[in-house]
Amino acid sequence: MIELLENYLGGQWHAGAGAGTVLTDPITAEALVRVSSDGLEIASGFDFARQHGGGALREMTFGARAELLAKIVGVLQANRDAYYEIALANSGTTKADSAVDIDGAIYTVGQYAKWGAALGDAHVLADGDAVPLGKDGVFRSQHVRTPTRGLALFINAFNFPSWGLWEKAAPALLAGVPVVVKPATSTAWLTQRMVQDVVAAGILPPGALNVVCGSARGLMDALEPFDVVSFTGSAETAAVIRGHEAVTMRSVRANIEADSLNSALLMPDATPGDASFEAFVKVLVQEMTVKSGQKCTAIRRAFVPQSLHGAVAEAVAARLERVAVGNPRNEAVRMGSLVSRAQYDAVQAGIAALTRECRPLVDRRGAALVDADPDISACLAPVLLGPLDPSNAELMHRMEVFGPVCTLLPYGRLGEAVTMIRRGEGSLVASVFGADPRSLADAALSIADVHGRVHVVSPEVAGTHTGHGNVMPQSQHGGPGRAGGGQELGGLRALDFYLRRTAIQAAAPVITTLLPTG
Ligand code: NAP
């Protein structure tokens, strides 16, 4: 019988009931492990997390919790090789792609450890300065932020089993809030293994970090008013979370990261082969191929001046031709597989839908896979599409195809490109490539309100920028509108979700007492 991964809740490991769900290798279809959350005592497990995990975390200062994060970094680093093995087997990713997930997570936790250390021995954070209310100035209003006394439930997507956990858990734990993570079933193994390693290391108080693998059934029902839920996944499931009575009736705070039609814009002053053109093409190919395009931030719509449309398509085609697709166990392979055959079918259906209004500019699907059976594996080569009629194209601005697929759109005037970018109705990220600081700044601001992040690449940063799709903990992640309206990361701003803001109205000495370090 295949190993059943256990769940950690209520300070103990529990095997779920029944046969569970089998996780597979997306290249070979080999069965790997099983997961099940059936029969778990969720309500009492959540209580344990709030009381014991949360209670112990709140006793500590921000600085002490930052030390816990630093220790977690040590555990994750020590077990890094095992994580790469699991990612290869369960996600079918190349080493470079796994690094985005695994090393990206370790870096993020490390950053929060550093930022938290700077908060020192505080239990309470000041929010602004005290302002006088009474005539003599003694009676004042001081806003403070303290950890919510609930738990943080993370319901995560399949594409980042490592980073998806830690980019949320680092600010939550630093804020003093216990975590329950429910990874997407298809790639739950890596998340479960990381939690197992951190629990085994005895770094965190019991109940501070929990994992439930398998069905999400009952998790939302068990949430109470001071809990928070952070969801990453499809717009359809996001609607279920938003409409759950934990959110609608019990005011559980919800952060939603949903699908997103991210853009890249090549400015009108670019010319074939110049620095902006080259940087644009390089990033576009990266975004189509890294993790086989299964990144929430991947470029789905690329906008170029009409006169450069052919040249960009050719340059992208030339680069994509060199990308070997297949089994990452073969060192020649640059792009691994999609996460599952189901995802493969969904992406193929998405391409078919888009081709009702597009024609293929580059379609590598006919090329031979390396060491992978096209009838079994979830490997799918990249496809670049061009609209038949840009002014009447509709679906590409509405439908996210979560794979190595992008649409290259020509524009006449820059204003037309801005209008089309805005038709995405809110995205995580857009990048802008050009050379003139004034027009780059204007373009960035013209789309800032519909994006969580605008990434501007000019020649002076072409070699050093962090990448369109790479989410750095220093910058906000999340976007308005269709992207879910969520906000994560962005340094210590991320703590806001886990802290409650209260106005304390009191005499100056009381305020000085409650904020001794402020
Ligand atoms: P999904 O099918 O919506 O699943 C997301 C999570 O929700 C999984 O853990 C899933 O569990 C769980 N879930 C499913 N039904 C649920 C329900 N009724 N109640 C509570 N939880 C439920 O999404 P996905 O296919 O894993 O992820 C792909 C999508 O995520 C893409 O659209 C992508 O754009 C988006 N994404 C967004 C971001 C971002 O930061 N904005 C990041 C990554 C991915 P099971 O796996 O057990 O079904």
Side-chain angles (χ1 to χ4, degrees), residues 155-159 182-185 214 216 231-234 237 240-241 257-259 296 400 402 428 477:
I155 300 179
N156 282 355
F158 66 76
N159 55 341
K182 195 302 240 193
T185 298
F231 170 80
T232 303
S234 63
T237 316
V240 174
I241 304 292
E257 302 288 350
D259 61 11
C296 49
E400 180 199 48
F402 206 61
L428 295 171
H477 175 58

Side-chain angles (χ1 to χ4, degrees), residues 340-471:
S340 64
R341 198 68 191 186
Q343 192 60 23
Y344 172 94
D345 291 340
V347 174
Q348 290 281 32
I351 296 169
L354 285 178
T355 46
R356 289 203 296 270
E357 56 183 38
C358 293
R359 64 191 167 91
L361 299 173
V362 184
D363 187 347
R364 300 285 303 149
R365 286 178 294 174
L369 300 176
V370 179
D371 288 352
D373 182 339
D375 295 327
I376 292 177
S377 82
C379 295
L380 184 75
V383 175
L384 182 70
L385 300 167
L388 297 169
D389 175 3
S391 51
N392 280 319
E394 183 56 38
L395 209 49
M396 65 187 65
H397 302 296
R398 277 196 283 118
M399 192 177 80
E400 180 199 48
V401 181
F402 206 61
V405 184
C406 180
T407 312
L408 186 66
L409 293 115
Y411 68 84
R413 285 176 302 103
L414 182 60
E416 288 167 28
V418 169
T419 302
M420 285 192 282
I421 289 172
R422 296 183 69 90
R423 286 179 68 189
E425 292 184 341
S427 304
L428 295 171
V429 53
S431 47
V432 186
F433 296 76
D436 175 50
R438 178 75 258 163
S439 48
L440 283 171
D442 288 346
L445 290 180
S446 71
I447 52 172
D449 61 310
V450 287
H451 291 90
R453 176 163 64 87
V454 178
H455 184 81
V456 181
V457 181
S458 51
E460 60 267 47
V461 294
T464 55
H465 73 99
T466 48
H468 162 102
N470 282 346
V471 178

Side-chain angles (χ1 to χ4, degrees), residues 15 43 87 111 280 285 292 325 338 353 422 429 465 480 495:
Q111 278 303 129
F280 180 87
V285 171
S292 295
V325 181
L338 295 169
R422 296 183 69 90
V429 53
H465 73 99
L495 270 60

Side-chain angles (χ1 to χ4, degrees), residues 52-61 65 68 172-173 176-178 204-205 208:
H52 295 271
L57 287 172
R58 288 194 304 274
E59 292 269 302
M60 300 176 194
T61 63
R65 294 192 293 262
L68 300 182
L173 293 170
V177 177
L204 294 169

